[in-house]
Amino acid sequence: MAKAYLSLGTNIGERRVNLQHALDLLGDSPVIQIKQVSSIYETDPVGYEEQDTFYNIVIEIETTYTPEQLLEFCLAAEIELGRVRLFKWGPRLIDIDLLTYGKETRKTENLILPHPHMTERAFVMIPFMEIAPEEAAHFLQKEKIASQNIYQTDLQLKW
């Protein structure tokens, strides 16, 4: 099985419930095992800023999916959970991004590994550092995320 890290975020509706539903859907897959889940962090939006704050987590999984299959599963999960893509960086019911897949690097039309923007996003790097400090340290660029607002919540998820 391959180790992968996913970032999940939401800023529409019941945000904790949205994250829980996404975890449930991922955990129900016979080829995905959830190994770790970060705390829930509340973060300001990035890009388009005229929207509600996000709840974000990072999870570690093990899977027999290939990177491409995992990406397709994540995109299908977003649709199943009700995501509608209105515009880039817009509000979202759920967003599931593939951050890393083992030590693999890829650059195709549909998939870039490691995720090309994760080093710029505190909402990815802080929870990633929480659950996998050694792996995340390779990507951490403190100067890029230092000015971003991010707050650890006391909310809990079941996995």
Side-chain angles (χ1 to χ4, degrees), residues 5-152:
Y5 291 91
L6 305 176
S7 173
L8 289 74
T10 174
N11 76 333
I12 295 176
E14 295 293 326
R15 297 172 296 170
R16 191 200 62 74
V17 172
N18 297 342
L19 291 174
Q20 186 64 62
H21 287 162
L23 278 181
D24 293 344
L25 189 59
L26 290 163
D28 286 345
S29 170
V31 296
I32 294 175
Q33 293 178 4
I34 298 173
K35 296 298 188 177
Q36 291 191 81
V37 177
S38 75
S39 301
I40 298 174
Y41 291 84
E42 187 166 21
T43 62
D44 290 339
V46 174
Y48 177 69
E49 297 178 2
E50 299 300 316
Q51 58 183 319
D52 292 334
T53 58
F54 281 81
Y55 279 178
N56 294 95
I57 61 173
V58 169
I59 67 171
E60 176 189 326
I61 65 167
E62 288 184 355
T63 184
T64 56
Y65 277 141
T66 66
E68 291 79 12
Q69 289 170 326
L70 182 55
L71 175 64
E72 288 302 315
F73 182 86
C74 291
L75 293 172
E78 289 178 350
I79 292 168
E80 184 173 334
L81 292 167
R83 176 159 183 193
V84 177
R85 294 177 185 267
L86 300 174
F87 56 91
K88 187 174 184 173
W89 294 323
R92 57 203 65 187
L93 186 70
I94 194 70
D95 186 36
I96 307 172
D97 288 336
L98 176 54
L99 302 176
T100 66
Y101 184 97
K103 304 261 185 235
E104 300 228 9
T105 58
R106 295 264 166 85
K107 190 168 187 178
T108 68
E109 183 179 330
N110 297 322
L111 178 61
I112 300 174
L113 287 173
H115 191 288
H117 303 293
M118 69 180 186
T119 62
E120 305 162 6
R121 298 173 175 166
F123 65 82
V124 172
M125 294 309 303
I126 301 299
F128 193 9
M129 287 292 294
E130 177 190 333
I131 64 169
E134 290 182 14
E135 278 130 11
H138 300 290
F139 304 103
L140 184 62
Q141 297 178 26
K142 290 181 183 178
E143 68 281 358
K144 287 189 176 182
I145 64 171
S147 65
Q148 297 174 30
N149 292 325
I150 181 168
Y151 310 97
Q152 187 173 3

